[in-house]
Amino acid sequence: MTSHQHVTIAWEGSEDESLPLLSILRSQEYVFSVQEDEGRIRIEVQIENESIRQLRDDVDALLVHFSSLED
């Protein structure tokens, strides 16, 4: 049986702030869920891989995408 690792990255903020993040997630075909509660949006991104090294690279790539919004 092979091992399987996953990481969940969660973000919470306003609907306006969520739009650029959702755009990135959709364009890069990430698996994610969106929940809304009283005007607050919560996004959870699931990243999975059998290789811990590749999982790390995948998480790093997502964070690079997200950090591009700060520039």
Side-chain angles (χ1 to χ4, degrees), residues 7-59:
V7 171
T8 301
I9 296 177
W11 175 91
E12 191 171 317
S14 72
E15 183 176 358
D16 287 342
E17 293 172 311
S18 73
L19 296 177
L21 298 173
L22 291 170
S23 178
I24 288 170
L25 292 170
R26 288 183 183 115
S27 71
Q28 299 298 314
E29 300 181 1
Y30 283 99
V31 175
F32 66 95
S33 64
V34 179
Q35 300 169 346
E36 184 175 356
D37 184 27
E38 297 180 14
R40 299 289 291 175
I41 303 294
R42 180 177 175 85
I43 300 170
E44 289 189 4
V45 184
Q46 291 289 327
I47 300 175
E48 301 177 355
N49 207 298
E50 291 179 7
S51 162
I52 194 74
R53 182 169 288 136
Q54 186 59 51
L55 179 67
R56 184 194 67 208
D57 291 345
D58 295 344
V59 169

Side-chain angles (χ1 to χ4, degrees), residues 21 24 60-71:
L21 298 173
I24 288 170
D60 287 348
L62 175 61
L63 295 176
V64 166
H65 287 300
F66 280 1
S67 69
S68 71
L69 298 173
E70 294 179 340
D71 296 339

